[in-house]
Amino acid sequence: MLHDNLSVNESGNLAFCGKDTVELAKKYGTPLMLLDEEGIRFQIRRYLRAMKSSFGEGSFPLYAGKALCIKEIYRIAKEEGIGVDLVSSGEIYTALSVGFPLSKAFFHGNNKTDADIKYAMDNGIGYFVTDNFEELNAVNEYAKEKGVIQKIVLRLTPGIDPHTHAAISTGKVDSKFGVAIETGQADKIVEYAFGLSNVALVGFHCHIGSQIFDIKPFTDAADIMIKYIGKVKETLGRDIEILNLGGGFGVRYVESDPVIDYEDNIFRISEHIKDYCGKHDIKMPIIVMEPGRSIVAANGMTLYTAGSVKEITGYKNYLAIDGGMGDNPRYALYKSSYTVLNAGKMNLPADYKCVIAGRCCESGDLIQEDVVIPKPQRNDTIAVLVTGAYNYSMASNYNRLPRPAIVAIDGQEEKIVVKRETFEDLVRNDV
Ligand code: LLP
């Protein structure tokens, strides 16, 4: 099947980590998100090992918390010894709430408020990934007030278009993120940062986009960034120790997506970088990467219960499920591809073409179109695969739909790691 954690059991039902998904749906209710905890640990270890063996002992990955930001994920990150990329005080709070050591965190975001800067520094954040002049000054001022030297990494835009969905492509010059190399503005902010009293500029960062299968956009970005590191050495006589290449490795959502060999990609990127540094006589920086999607996406899935099956004569068939854009807004936002299965009818012929529609009052509330599955009926369990990344973290309460529960499966053990929201939760802040 699409990923190793999926199988069909003797009852003809879809199993996730060996557990019958139809039974899980009955036991915990739907919509329900499932997480494969062993799978998440496996991916983290893979990145840790591959980065050290390819780039050298000093290099390391960070888990990009925006993909799935819940306490359990930071418990795992802490146990596995991986650093994290955090983008808001809320994400920092989540990590801190399970004792994640903030010294191993990089604080991202294109518009950190004064309160964010204070909160992060007061809690001992390792690095600020500084995006602009205003933030740089604010970080320097607060570090001065505290009497500390804050380590920072500057976010630069290398001017790379990775040919992914425009909304998730962020390395281009015309972007709200970072400072452009091409326009000469990077030169100004770098020189300025070196002149500040309470920040230590130790690295550069770029993030070109997400759901990228090819290594070329990464090696192109690395070339530009390393060339720029060389320029900084030449013009300012300063060393840049860290090059953070961001996240972005793709994940297989549907059969037609390529299978990606993460170790091999990392190895080939490392060979390219070593070669480039050698040729241009530039000291190899410590390479950092920030995978989010590729750690959690395939280690998650969502179960729904089928409702209406509407056949519009001469048009399409619509299968409505008990969730939708509230728990998975990705089709509505990006027309993202997903694999949908009728979990209790895995051995029946898939011959029923339909649109999977959510339950929100919004005609764009679809999960997928042109899905072909065994004919569904009300109360069937419908599985949407590969939903671990950017589903729960982007979920909303639109139409006052409570967010799903998350059940993690760790070997034989099942545990609720996020409770289902209650109606009381929905009105908690209403006065
Ligand atoms: N580092 C930075 C600075 C980022 O902005 C991102 C993602 C990552 C790392 C992690 O990238 P990943 O390995 O997960 O591709 N909501 C969109 C994805 C937005 C990605 C935002 N930044 C989606 O659902 O496809």
Side-chain angles (χ1 to χ4, degrees), residues 73-84:
I73 220 75
Y74 296 105
R75 286 190 196 107
I76 297 175
K78 185 177 160 193
E79 282 168 18
E80 297 296 328
I82 191 172
V84 296

Side-chain angles (χ1 to χ4, degrees), residues 35-107:
L35 276 187
D36 171 1
E37 225 170 273
E38 281 185 346
I40 293 173
R41 289 179 194 275
F42 179 79
Q43 279 299 92
I44 290 178
R45 288 175 195 169
R46 218 171 172 178
Y47 269 104
L48 283 164
R49 260 198 316 267
M51 288 202 60
K52 291 202 185 305
S53 72
S54 292
F55 290 113
E57 272 304 308
S59 283
F60 53 95
L62 305 171
Y63 165 68
K66 69 209 81 178
L68 177 67
C69 183
I70 58 174
K71 285 184 178 180
E72 183 68 359
I73 220 75
Y74 296 105
R75 286 190 196 107
I76 297 175
K78 185 177 160 193
E79 282 168 18
E80 297 296 328
I82 191 172
V84 296
D85 138 4
L86 301 165
V87 296
S88 69
S89 293
E91 288 194 357
I92 293 176
Y93 180 86
T94 310
L96 281 175
S97 67
V98 293
F100 186 87
L102 224 56
S103 58
K104 295 179 85 165
F106 281 55
F107 189 20

Side-chain angles (χ1 to χ4, degrees), residues 47 62-67 85 87 108-109 129 155 165 167-170 177 205-212 244-250 253 289-296 328-330 333-334 336 338 389-391 393-394:
Y47 269 104
L62 305 171
Y63 165 68
K66 69 209 81 178
D85 138 4
V87 296
H108 276 276
V129 181
R155 180 159 182 170
H165 191 286
I168 56 174
S169 160
T170 50
F177 297 104
H205 171 276
C206 68
H207 171 79
I208 47 179
S210 200
Q211 187 60 353
I212 304 168
N244 182 334
L245 291 173
F249 279 155
Y253 284 88
M289 283 179 145
E290 299 168 330
R293 189 190 305 272
S294 52
I295 288 182
V296 287
N328 182 359
R330 297 191 67 252
L333 278 172
Y334 322 118
S336 306
Y338 279 104
Y390 304 111
N391 276 226
S393 64
M394 292 174 75

Side-chain angles (χ1 to χ4, degrees), residues 306-311 317-319 341-354 356 371-382:
S308 69
V309 185
K310 189 173 290 181
E311 301 184 344
N317 303 326
Y318 284 82
L319 165 62
L341 300 172
N342 192 339
K345 297 183 173 164
M346 293 298 288
N347 291 336
L348 299 186
D351 53 8
Y352 190 80
K353 188 167 170 178
C354 57
I356 310 294
V371 166
V372 185
I373 51 174
K375 178 142 195 207
Q377 291 172 284
R378 188 172 174 88
N379 291 328
D380 278 359
T381 301
I382 303 298

Side-chain angles (χ1 to χ4, degrees), residues 297-308:
N299 291 311
M301 77 145 83
T302 309
L303 299 176
Y304 300 99
T305 300
S308 69

Side-chain angles (χ1 to χ4, degrees), residues 9 33 49-50 83 96 142 166 169 179 193 226 229 258 290 332 346 367 384 401 416 426-427:
N9 64 19
M33 201 173 142
R49 260 198 316 267
L96 281 175
Y142 191 60
S169 160
V179 184
I226 291 169
I229 289 176
E290 299 168 330
M346 293 298 288
I367 291 288
V384 179
L401 294 173
I416 296 176
L426 296 175
V427 296

